[in-house]
């Protein structure tokens, strides 16, 4: 089997890349180890930056997002029983974000790719990337019980931290930067309308809490818990009680409760793999970088990577110059490190460390007070949250 771009992984990044390439007249094949149902049900991110929304619309997959997604023009910060809203459009020249789950993005992209684009092979396990430093890289994979080879001009690894793409870059050429946090997020899905019309980020002496949503009738909420917590250790009512404590305010706001339909714990860490390119192998998304979810950056960073690659390849096709492809890693990493910085600052701003001292608590509150009173601090948060430029 041959193609121009072999894409490993049918998450939103791999699927969107296939769509962008199709629109540019460049053929591709997507290899995905899981079945279609798993990909369309895999719960992940739910916040789309302005740039991601614009890319999806331009790619022709924004119709359902615009119909069913929830545009948000701000977030609310809670601390010391107080509420403070960050107004995105007023602080960014009109930018906003969209609440539209990754599962829905994948459904839209899969349907369109299967209708118009190149092959998406589900249950096709990538085994290895070979010859990345040659002009004929190959992906060995297993599909329908037999091994096969996908010969490519380029390979893009959108297969996550545990995938084979990252492992194909020689260790002696790589540098890894990482940080593990001593807490995680206990997340629930609940069949109850959201208790607020925008996301609420709460700093509390008992730990962080986040109120989010998946739709007008489904709430998504999170609690900071110790690293290694088992979600099943928490009963449903215990979770609701703790959420109420952490979201408490001095006004008459109340948390709506409802049936919990899913429960899980997400670990928190930062990770960057440099470089993001080796020969004709390019890494995108979690294969190259991971951010704590506080800043809502993971999916959006992956979109930035594949937009950078698609533009660079189209440029080579149009001009014969590989300049932009050669600059892929450097270009992506500038945005990646800004997103890592933003996610780190949001995480340390709102989570209480297990070994926090009274001094640490006062500094944290002082940072929040500064956000609530200084236009420049508010603007920096709003610009970071709504997204960094895709260039």
């Amino acid at each position: 089997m041959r193609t121009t771009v072999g894409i490993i992984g049918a998450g939103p990044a791999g699927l969107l890349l296939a769509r962008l390439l199709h629109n540019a007249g460049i053929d591709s094949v997507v290899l995905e180890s899981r079945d279609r149902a798993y990909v369309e049900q895999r719960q992940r991110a739910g916040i789309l930056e302005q740039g991601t929304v614009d890319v999806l619309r331009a790619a022709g997959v924004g119709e359902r997002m615009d119909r069913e997604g929830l545009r948000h023009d701000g977030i609310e910060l809670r601390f010391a029983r107080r509420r403070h809203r960050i107004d995105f459009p007023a602080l960014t020249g009109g930018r906003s974000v969209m609440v539209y789950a990754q599962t829905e993005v994948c459904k839209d992209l899969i349907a369109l790719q299967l209708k118009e684009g190149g092959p998406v092979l589900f249950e096709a396990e990538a085994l290895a990337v070979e010859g990345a430093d040659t002009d004929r890289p190959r992906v060995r994979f297993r599909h329908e019980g037999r091994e096969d080879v996908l010969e490519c001009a380029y390979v893009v690894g959108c297969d996550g931290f545990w995938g084979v793409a990252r492992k194909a870059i020689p260790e002696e050429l790589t540098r890894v930067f990482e940080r593990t946090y001593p807490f995680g997020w206990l997340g629930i899905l609940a069949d109850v309308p959201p208790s607020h019309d925008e996301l609420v980020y709460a700093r509390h002496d008992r730990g962080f809490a986040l109120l989010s949503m998946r739709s007008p009738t489904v709430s998504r909420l999170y609690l900071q818990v110790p690293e290694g917590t088992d979600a099943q250790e928490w009963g449903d009512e215990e979770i609701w009680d703790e959420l109420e404590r952490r979201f408490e305010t001095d006004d008459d706001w109340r948390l709506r409760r409802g049936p919990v339909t899913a429960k899980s714990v997400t670990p928190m860490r930062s990770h960057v793999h440099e470089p993001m390119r080796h020969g004709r192998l390019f890494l995108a998304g979690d294969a190259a970088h991971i951010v704590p979810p506080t800043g809502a950056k993971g999916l959006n960073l992956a979109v930035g990577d594949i937009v950078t690659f698609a533009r660079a390849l189209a440029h080579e096709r149009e001009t014969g110059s590989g300049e932009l492809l050669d600059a892929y890693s450097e270009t992506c990493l500038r945005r990646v490190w800004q997103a890592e910085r933003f996610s780190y600052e949001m995480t340390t701003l709102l989570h209480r460390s297990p070994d926090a001292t009274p001094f640490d608590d006062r500094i944290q509150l002082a940072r929040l007070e500064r956000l609530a009173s200084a236009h420049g601090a508010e603007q920096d948060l709003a610009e970071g949250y709504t997204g960094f430029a895709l260039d």
Side-chain angles (χ1 to χ4, degrees):
M1 183 181 297
R2 292 185 178 181
T3 191
T4 301
V5 181
I7 302 170
I8 309 175
L15 291 166
L16 181 56
L17 177 55
R19 179 63 185 172
L20 296 179
L21 294 176
H22 171 77
N23 290 348
I26 301 171
D27 61 297
S28 69
V29 173
V30 181
L31 305 176
E32 168 56 47
S33 62
R34 304 281 192 163
D35 61 26
R36 179 178 178 178
Y38 180 89
V39 173
E40 294 185 339
Q41 296 168 11
R42 182 167 42 193
Q43 291 292 333
R44 291 291 188 272
I47 304 295
L48 307 182
E49 294 175 354
Q50 183 69 66
T52 298
V53 170
D54 294 343
V55 168
L56 289 170
R57 287 172 178 157
V61 283
E63 181 182 350
R64 192 164 72 94
M65 173 189 69
D66 285 330
R67 186 173 67 250
E68 299 180 11
L70 306 174
R71 171 179 165 144
H72 280 203
D73 287 335
I75 58 172
E76 183 173 286
L77 301 178
R78 291 192 185 180
F79 59 99
R81 302 177 65 94
R82 293 168 48 200
R83 305 168 64 178
H84 179 76
R85 182 174 184 267
I86 306 292
D87 185 329
F88 292 156
L91 293 162
T92 65
R95 298 211 306 267
S96 63
V97 297
M98 182 81 75
V99 176
Y100 191 63
Q102 173 174 314
T103 50
E104 306 311 307
V105 173
C106 287
K107 289 175 187 175
D108 296 343
L109 286 165
I110 288 171
L112 197 56
Q113 187 69 9
L114 293 179
K115 179 182 177 182
E116 300 179 1
V120 180
L121 303 184
F122 293 101
E123 298 181 86
E125 180 188 5
L127 303 174
V129 177
E130 300 171 342
D133 55 352
T134 73
D135 61 359
R136 297 285 296 274
R138 300 151 38 101
V139 183
R140 282 197 300 107
F141 67 98
R142 182 182 297 111
H143 185 233
E144 296 181 342
R146 67 178 186 275
E147 284 197 19
D148 204 342
V149 172
L150 178 62
E151 296 182 350
C152 322
Y154 305 93
V155 176
V156 181
C158 304
D159 52 343
F161 180 80
W162 301 107
V164 300
R166 185 173 58 88
K167 299 172 184 175
I169 300 181
E171 287 188 16
E172 62 271 18
L173 301 180
T174 68
R175 296 186 68 192
V176 172
F177 305 85
E178 56 188 349
R179 180 188 182 95
T180 301
Y181 298 86
F183 43 76
W185 279 9
L186 171 61
I188 62 168
L189 278 172
D191 284 337
V192 61
S195 302
H196 193 61
D197 56 359
E198 294 177 335
L199 273 68
V200 177
Y201 288 77
R203 185 271 175 201
H204 193 277
D205 286 342
R206 297 176 65 90
F208 167 79
L210 171 62
L211 186 158
S212 182
M213 65 282 294
R214 285 293 180 264
S215 74
T217 60
V218 177
S219 293
R220 181 72 160 154
L221 302 107
Y222 299 93
L223 286 170
Q224 177 187 340
V225 293
E227 180 185 17
T229 294
D230 181 351
Q232 302 311 313
E233 294 174 357
W234 285 73
D236 293 357
E237 290 307 307
E238 184 183 11
I239 292 172
W240 287 117
D241 290 345
E242 190 62 26
L243 286 166
E244 278 196 348
R245 293 187 192 100
R246 298 189 193 184
F247 286 124
E248 61 187 356
T249 60
D250 283 332
D251 58 17
D252 60 357
W253 182 90
R254 292 292 179 269
L255 179 68
R256 296 172 178 165
R257 299 188 179 208
V260 175
T261 59
K263 189 188 312 181
S264 62
V265 170
T266 302
M268 304 278 283
R269 64 185 180 126
S270 305
H271 179 98
V272 180
H273 180 284
E274 296 185 2
M276 291 175 57
R277 176 200 179 184
H278 174 57
R280 292 190 169 220
L281 167 63
F282 299 78
L283 304 182
D286 285 0
H289 42 73
I290 295 171
V291 290
T294 325
K297 287 284 162 281
L299 167 60
N300 297 290
L301 266 185
V303 169
D305 296 340
I306 63 95
V307 167
T308 300
F309 175 81
R311 287 175 178 171
L313 186 56
H315 178 77
E316 185 198 45
R317 285 295 183 92
E318 294 166 4
T319 68
S321 170
E323 179 183 6
L324 296 185
L325 285 171
D326 292 340
Y328 172 81
S329 185
E330 180 182 355
T331 302
C332 290
L333 285 169
R334 283 198 298 269
R335 186 175 55 251
V336 166
W337 277 112
Q338 285 301 316
E340 292 283 358
R341 171 196 63 80
F342 178 78
S343 299
Y344 171 82
E345 290 178 355
M346 287 284 286
T347 300
T348 57
L349 175 71
L350 296 163
H351 293 75
R352 191 170 190 276
S353 175
D355 59 357
T357 66
F359 179 86
D360 297 328
D361 291 336
R362 289 300 180 96
I363 289 294
Q364 203 172 43
L365 290 170
R367 291 170 65 190
L368 286 160
E369 292 281 0
R370 176 70 176 170
L371 264 173
S373 61
H375 177 83
E378 276 192 309
Q379 187 173 34
D380 185 62
L381 189 153
E383 289 178 345
Y385 199 96
T386 55
F388 303 103
L390 299 180
D391 56 24

